[in-house]
Amino acid sequence: MQRYAMTLLAALLAMGAARAAGNTVPPPETVDKLAWLAGCWNVDGAEPGSGEQWSTAAGGTILGTSRTVKGGKTTDFEFVQIRLTEPGQLAYIVQPSGQPPVVFNLLRQDKPNEFIFANLDNDFPSRIIYRRDSERILHASIVGTLKGKFTTIAFPMTKARCEAAPAPRGK
């Protein structure tokens, strides 16, 4: 009987170890996995000044701004935060052109350099996608239903030097 109990205990311990090895817990989400966004990105084919600028990851946040220039004037702008909104939930929080913030939670990460954020309650967009193809090429897109039609608007971007505004001249 004692030999049977020891064999059963050994088998149960081995099964538990195998099960634990197969059920690895994924690492917690952090903004660090999006650190490659940092810097300035110009929208390809758009007027100068149209693009995005992202901060480095610090304090659990990445901050971003975007601007669209048409006819030499800023027509749209956004302020963005990428941060954890609750334990394990990475979110893209966007405030477009002075409107209230909208939260898009990380839906999935298809590759190390592609992130899909979603808010299915938002009219348009319902998804925001960022994909880095190389150190210098970034594809952002917004996806959803616009005026009753499924629509994707793409923003291909190229990395640029972040240039400071010229210092004001003294009188």
Side-chain angles (χ1 to χ4, degrees):
M1 180 71 171
Q2 187 174 3
R3 174 181 260 170
Y4 173 76
M6 293 299 277
T7 303
L8 181 60
L9 179 61
L12 288 173
L13 288 173
M15 284 175 45
R19 184 173 291 152
N23 293 332
T24 58
V25 176
E29 296 287 345
T30 72
V31 297
D32 294 335
K33 50 179 34 180
L34 282 145
W36 49 264
L37 272 175
C40 294
W41 300 89
N42 291 334
V43 177
D44 298 343
E47 282 192 38
S50 295
E52 299 184 355
Q53 184 169 352
W54 291 93
S55 72
T56 57
T61 336
I62 296 174
L63 300 176
T65 59
S66 74
R67 173 177 50 200
T68 302
V69 177
K70 292 183 182 171
K73 297 189 185 287
T74 298
T75 58
D76 292 296
F77 63 93
E78 294 179 338
F79 299 109
V80 183
Q81 302 173 59
I82 299 176
R83 66 178 173 87
L84 293 177
T85 55
E86 57 187 66
Q89 184 58 64
L90 195 58
Y92 182 101
I93 304 164
V94 61
Q95 188 170 3
S97 297
Q99 296 175 16
V102 181
V103 177
F104 293 80
N105 290 318
L106 182 64
L107 177 65
R108 68 181 192 258
Q109 176 186 355
D110 286 344
K111 305 170 202 161
N113 293 332
E114 183 175 58
F115 292 81
I116 301 170
F117 296 90
N119 179 336
L120 301 180
D121 294 328
N122 197 49
D123 54 356
F124 185 83
S126 58
R127 286 189 174 84
I128 298 171
I129 303 167
Y130 276 88
R131 184 184 80 238
R132 183 180 72 160
D133 285 347
S134 70
E135 294 294 321
R136 300 197 39 80
I137 305 296
L138 175 67
H139 293 276
S141 57
I142 53 177
V143 179
T145 303
L146 184 62
K147 297 179 183 175
K149 291 176 65 176
F150 183 78
T151 304
T152 298
I153 301 174
F155 302 94
M157 292 182 256
T158 303
K159 189 106 181 204
R161 277 189 45 196
C162 293
E163 303 207 20
R169 292 185 168 173
K171 292 186 179 184

